[in-house]
Amino acid sequence: MRFLLLFILCSPILGWGQKLADPLATKRTKALFVNLQKAASESKILFGHQDDLAYGVGWRHIKGGSDVRFTCGDYPAVYGWELGNLEHDSTANLDRVNFKQMKNWIKEGYERGGVITLSWHMDNYHTAGSAWDTTAAVKDILPGGAKYERYKQDLDRFAHFVSDLKAGGLFDRHAIPVIFRPFHEHTGAWFWWGNTHVTPDDFKALWRFTVAYLRDEKKLHQVLYSFSTSYNFKSEAEMLTFYPGDEWVDMLGIDFYANDNSDQTWDEFRQVQSVLVKTAEARGKVPALTEFGFEGIPTPDWWTNVFLKNLLAEPILGRIAYACAWRNANKKHHYVPYPGGVSAVDFQTFFQHPNTLFESDLWNFYKLPKKNNSK
Ligand code: BMA
């Protein structure tokens, strides 16, 4: 009886029945999961931005640079980074972000309390074309495939990159937890791993192999795995067509891009968003908008009167951990305003909204909260 009590007191860090894809995840990685889940359940939505510290509209590599901070005074709470070209041992990724500097920016964001997420637009293994070359290639990298060994080498490169992300001093040196979001938007058809170029079984096999290899062979225990679809589905069954199973996934995400402010676009958004949150909550996964935005943000009140209004239209829709806007490449291709940009003033109101969390709003996401609110 005493042992049972001790066991009950010590074990349920994540709540009963809820496990991470990596049972050996580090304590900070577990804490990150629990805190993301807590944020989601309270509709405290962390605001994220891809490549935030590396460049923005009209600048590149300025110390302290960040279009988010330039516009609202605070850094984002989530930093997205992209690994495309890591598979070629290139010094920079496919958007010219130097990998060494990326590591430093990751450390910088983490040390301020931010959350790190990694995507990877890896080249097509069958043709050596880009991620957007939709020639079928998944079979090539599955065990027994012609590029299987090569794929493992690329996962070694990933493991090397992630293992290098360390923080803390002499006595508490530790691995920086990261959210890895491989083979994203696979319910769409624009990447070689997308829906019409792969069977559900092959996709699931690839996912499981990838997680098992990084976790068991490479012994990476600082990774949360995010399964991100595009937003072209109507039901849970459709969303989960390529789902490898609860034991292989920690987060469920969708990537949502608006091209207009029409009722149809936003009705669809709310519909998909409600499937996402329901599905994630029922399975003990953390829901997130893993990418989102409106290219160029041409609408002055887009942040509050379009995006937030729809996201908070019903309580369930806003129960996501974060929303990560895509990169600010230039005046046309950007997803966060820059000072003087069309939606910059509205973005400040969005920043002040009680449901949005920016970097200085974060509690310690790498320490378990006192009361574990997870289900
Ligand atoms: C796309 C665009 C591209 C970029 C790619 C990978 O959505 O932003 O310009 O190369 O993502 O980051």
Side-chain angles (χ1 to χ4, degrees), residues 20 29 40 43 98 136 156 161 176 186-187 216 269 277 328 349 351:
L20 294 184
T29 311
S43 301
N98 178 284
D156 294 348
F161 182 92
I176 298 178
H186 56 267
T187 53
D216 307 334
F269 168 76
V277 176
N328 272 19
T349 314
F351 161 69

Side-chain angles (χ1 to χ4, degrees), residues 22-226:
D22 182 358
L24 299 180
T26 66
K27 61 179 184 187
R28 289 181 176 83
T29 311
K30 284 179 183 158
L32 173 61
F33 178 88
V34 171
N35 281 303
L36 288 171
Q37 196 167 49
K38 178 173 150 66
S41 70
E42 294 170 6
S43 301
K44 296 290 186 195
I45 303 159
L46 278 66
F47 183 78
H49 189 212
Q50 184 75 7
D51 287 350
D52 187 74
L53 305 175
Y55 58 84
V57 178
W59 63 272
R60 219 173 161 84
H61 300 190
I62 299 177
K63 186 141 183 54
S66 154
D67 276 348
V68 170
R69 191 175 71 88
F70 290 155
T71 310
C72 73
D74 198 359
Y75 287 108
V78 174
Y79 295 95
W81 296 100
E82 161 62 33
L83 300 179
N85 271 3
L86 189 72
E87 67 274 25
H88 303 306
D89 286 333
S90 308
T91 50
N93 81 355
L94 76 172
D95 300 316
R96 295 189 298 131
V97 179
N98 178 284
F99 283 120
K100 244 198 213 146
Q101 285 176 311
M102 190 191 290
K103 285 179 187 167
N104 289 332
W105 284 315
I106 288 175
K107 286 176 205 167
E108 190 185 310
Y110 169 77
E111 276 164 354
R112 283 196 301 255
V115 174
I116 309 300
T117 174
L118 302 174
S119 55
W120 196 352
H121 290 76
M122 44 172 64
D123 280 353
N124 185 307
Y125 283 88
H126 195 81
T127 59
S130 74
W132 292 266
D133 175 339
T134 56
T135 313
V138 170
K139 272 215 184 321
D140 295 55
I141 57 174
L142 284 172
K147 292 289 160 58
Y148 172 60
E149 291 302 326
R150 173 60 214 256
Y151 180 56
K152 282 200 292 184
Q153 286 165 11
D154 292 345
L155 293 180
D156 294 348
R157 291 179 166 98
F158 175 87
H160 190 256
F161 182 92
V162 170
S163 309
D164 237 15
L165 304 171
K166 294 256 170 58
L170 198 55
F171 299 108
D172 69 340
R173 193 124 185 93
H174 61 268
I176 298 178
V178 296
I179 299 165
F180 184 32
R181 201 166 64 84
F183 307 117
H184 64 298
E185 301 177 6
H186 56 267
T187 53
W190 43 91
F191 299 128
W192 55 261
W193 57 82
N195 65 353
T196 47
H197 325 300
V198 62
T199 63
D201 280 350
D202 282 350
F203 188 91
K204 292 176 196 179
L206 176 62
W207 185 282
R208 292 177 190 137
F209 170 76
T210 304
V211 173
Y213 186 81
L214 295 174
R215 181 189 64 189
D216 307 334
E217 297 291 322
K218 305 312 292 180
K219 313 256 184 271
L220 284 188
H221 298 304
Q222 63 271 56
V223 183
L224 294 176
Y225 293 91
S226 172

